[in-house]
Amino acid sequence: MRRTILLALSLLFSLTSVFAGDYSKYYQNLPKAMPEVTVPTIPANTVSILDCGGKGDGITSNTEAFRKAISKLSKLGGGHLNVPAGIYLTGLISFKDNIDLHLEKNAIIVFSEDKKEFIKEENGVKDDKATPGINASKRKNISITGEGIIDGNGEWWRPVKRSKVSNTEWNDFKAMGGTESAKGDLWYPFNLKHFDNIAATPEAQEKMRTHLIRLTDCENVLIQGVTVENSPKFHIVPQRCKNVIIDGVTVRCPWNAQNGDAIDIGNCTNVLIVNNVIDAGDDGICMKGGAGAKALEYGPCQNINIQDNIVYHAHGGFVIGSEFSGGMKNIYVHNNTFSGTDTGLRFKSSVGRGGTTEDIYISNIYMTDINNQAIVFETTYFDNHVGAKKGAQPTKVEFAPNFTDIHMKDIVVRGCKTGIAAHGEKGMIHGITIENANIFYHETAQDIDANSDITLTNVNFVTFAQ
């Protein structure tokens, strides 16, 4: 009997996650109750990347070493893949169940400049898009933890708009090789000096660009402590996942990085985003819900808890849209700072990609040096990606934005161009409340059209002119 008990205790210990952070405090006194997230359970097995042929010399490819290490842990039922100090050049890292990728201090994972490393091929047929450097599909109990850095090497992937860089930076990009557009307003990482193309034209290769970390249809996910930077596109992208924690992560890339979103949550349920620091080239913390009929199958972003984060540069600090046809339900955004973002609280969409918001509560938001609007609703959003051309608005009103049941309070803004802006057709922006706000603006206090129903209570607008 005693031996049986000891074996049971040993098994319990081996299946207990080392991440014993108490997240229950973030679920106290919520405006509307939501389930607490479930922390991944990782077995106690440990494998070092060095034991599987890995080398942190910044030169040797570690693609096969990561594959071997994950395979070895998987055969043991899962465990921790430790990456010690060093610089580890690699291609794809694909998760299996019950795996923790742990980066020790001074460990840096750098994804290869060679785009061919990220194009999967099966039966002689190549994918038409690159696979994210770190990826998982239909996996359970996975985590990325530690004090190290994950570098996407995105400058080898991203196009560059001439208007967004200095002469020195422009010349640095051209020194890599690459291709300028006929007008000289774009540089593509196509025909580079040292690496082959993966498509026939710059435009076709651009469409193959993908994200740095994408987790699809996964359950019990933790990303904690690491720095994630310089992605080819978006940095952290959970899609259709359940129970996701992003805690104490630094996300950074150049301010002008094309599509450099930090955290994009797509059609996920039960998500906790806390204690992160973001300095991004596009949106900071963004909720997405798909576009059109397909998004309805995926369901809404639901039970999303966002607290105690700092966003420096980003197109928006907290964002819903532009696509959210699957809907947005029960989202709590509390005690966050936006310093130097283009907009603060941003709700953007358009006909064909809109949906309905429900039970959105935002409080204790502190903003400084906002370049444009502190709070903005826009329902004719245009995705101005490289090569995009703005067309006419759809004549068939399907999947129109329905921004409603959004409640904001206790907001302080020191410096913005416009305090609150809202533009949309009748019925697209309604049931919005904003209370207890001090907004110091430079040009316009309110730019709210007659079709938008926004109730302001104890909102104080101040400018130098007063």
Side-chain angles (χ1 to χ4, degrees):
M1 174 66 75
R2 183 173 180 273
R3 184 183 179 193
T4 301
I5 293 173
L6 288 173
L7 285 171
L9 289 172
S10 176
L11 178 62
L12 178 63
F13 175 77
S14 70
L15 292 176
T16 300
S17 171
V18 297
F19 316 109
D22 180 13
Y23 292 113
S24 62
K25 65 180 181 180
Y26 293 107
Y27 291 88
Q28 306 301 314
N29 304 313
L30 298 180
K32 184 175 180 179
M34 64 176 70
E36 290 189 26
V37 288
T38 301
V39 179
T41 301
I42 307 294
N45 306 309
T46 299
V47 169
S48 171
I49 190 68
L50 302 181
D51 297 335
C52 297
K55 292 185 178 180
D57 58 11
I59 300 171
T60 303
S61 173
N62 288 271
T63 306
E64 184 63 13
F66 277 110
R67 189 197 64 77
K68 285 181 178 178
I70 290 172
S71 179
K72 184 175 181 179
L73 282 170
S74 182
K75 289 175 182 177
L76 296 172
H80 305 275
L81 170 49
N82 279 357
V83 183
I87 300 177
Y88 299 84
L89 183 70
T90 188
L92 295 175
I93 299 176
S94 300
F95 270 85
K96 295 187 177 182
D97 290 344
N98 310 318
I99 299 291
D100 166 47
L101 175 62
H102 183 76
L103 284 72
E104 297 180 7
K105 187 174 182 180
N106 296 323
I108 305 175
I109 292 174
V110 178
F111 285 95
S112 173
E113 299 89 346
D114 188 352
K115 299 179 181 66
K116 291 184 293 184
E117 289 251 28
F118 304 92
I119 304 298
K120 289 185 176 180
E121 182 175 343
E122 188 173 349
N123 298 323
V125 179
K126 294 181 179 180
D127 285 352
D128 61 0
K129 194 170 185 179
T131 297
I134 295 179
N135 58 88
S137 177
K138 299 180 181 178
R139 298 300 181 185
K140 189 171 183 179
N141 295 320
I142 58 176
S143 60
I144 303 170
T145 63
E147 300 178 75
I149 296 173
I150 299 169
D151 187 333
N153 230 339
E155 64 269 25
W156 298 91
W157 287 88
R158 295 187 301 260
V160 177
K161 293 181 178 179
R162 179 66 184 88
S163 60
K164 287 190 171 184
V165 296
S166 67
N167 290 337
T168 299
E169 291 171 305
W170 185 251
N171 289 331
D172 285 343
F173 282 113
K174 291 200 298 181
M176 296 164 62
T179 303
E180 285 188 65
S181 63
K183 294 181 180 179
D185 58 345
L186 288 172
W187 175 87
Y188 290 95
F190 185 84
N191 290 339
L192 293 168
K193 289 180 178 178
H194 303 293
F195 298 99
D196 294 335
N197 300 317
I198 54 173
T201 67
E203 294 79 8
Q205 185 166 282
E206 161 59 13
K207 291 179 181 179
M208 299 176 75
R209 181 165 56 105
T210 190
H211 312 307
L212 179 49
I213 300 173
R214 185 174 68 202
L215 313 172
T216 305
D217 299 305
C218 294
E219 186 173 351
N220 302 345
V221 173
L222 172 68
I223 304 176
Q224 183 184 63
V226 294
T227 294
V228 181
E229 65 182 18
N230 203 17
S231 173
K233 204 170 184 182
F234 303 168
H235 288 77
I236 300 174
V237 188
Q239 296 181 322
R240 302 187 301 276
C241 294
K242 182 178 181 181
N243 289 319
V244 177
I245 303 168
I246 304 174
D247 174 20
V249 173
T250 298
V251 183
R252 58 188 294 270
C253 68
W255 73 270
N256 50 12
Q258 190 69 28
N259 310 113
D261 290 35
I263 299 171
D264 280 38
I265 306 297
N267 303 90
C268 293
T269 300
N270 302 347
V271 178
L272 181 65
I273 301 173
V274 292
N275 307 314
N276 302 291
V277 177
I278 291 168
D279 196 339
D282 209 306
D283 289 327
I285 302 172
C286 185
M287 305 293 108
K288 293 185 178 293
K294 190 68 177 177
L296 297 178
E297 300 177 23
Y298 297 152
C301 270
Q302 187 169 8
N303 303 329
I304 315 294
N305 192 339
I306 302 169
Q307 300 191 47
D308 299 336
N309 303 284
I310 299 175
V311 182
Y312 293 107
H313 184 270
H315 288 184
F318 169 76
V319 182
I320 290 180
S322 62
E323 62 274 19
F324 71 107
S325 297
M328 297 282 154
K329 292 185 178 181
N330 199 17
I331 298 177
Y332 183 53
V333 184
H334 177 73
N335 210 38
N336 296 281
T337 295
F338 308 146
S339 180
T341 58
D342 290 344
T343 62
L345 299 167
R346 187 184 191 192
F347 306 86
K348 59 176 182 175
S349 192
S350 62
V351 171
R353 59 172 72 189
T356 298
T357 58
E358 180 181 336
D359 291 320
I360 313 297
Y361 298 96
I362 301 172
S363 60
N364 291 51
I365 305 296
Y366 307 95
M367 309 187 209
T368 59
D369 299 320
I370 305 301
N371 291 329
N372 296 306
Q373 306 95 341
I375 301 170
V376 59
F377 293 85
E378 49 187 322
T379 64
T380 56
Y381 175 76
F382 169 61
D383 183 7
N384 189 26
H385 60 270
V386 168
K389 295 181 180 179
K390 191 170 185 178
Q393 285 294 301
T395 56
K396 192 174 184 180
V397 182
E398 288 187 315
F399 300 102
N402 183 19
F403 288 120
T404 187
D405 198 10
I406 299 174
H407 309 286
M408 311 178 207
K409 67 177 184 178
D410 301 328
I411 296 172
V412 180
V413 182
R414 176 67 191 187
C416 63
K417 184 177 179 180
T418 300
I420 303 171
H423 298 280
E425 296 298 322
K426 192 170 182 62
M428 291 187 181
I429 303 169
H430 61 105
I432 313 297
T433 64
I434 303 173
E435 61 176 308
N436 300 337
N438 286 325
I439 300 176
F440 187 97
Y441 67 95
H442 299 308
E443 292 189 11
T444 307
Q446 303 178 51
D447 181 17
I448 303 173
D449 63 29
N451 288 327
S452 301
D453 172 21
I454 299 179
T455 300
L456 306 182
T457 304
N458 192 30
V459 176
N460 182 33
F461 295 97
V462 179
T463 188
F464 286 116
Q466 295 177 334

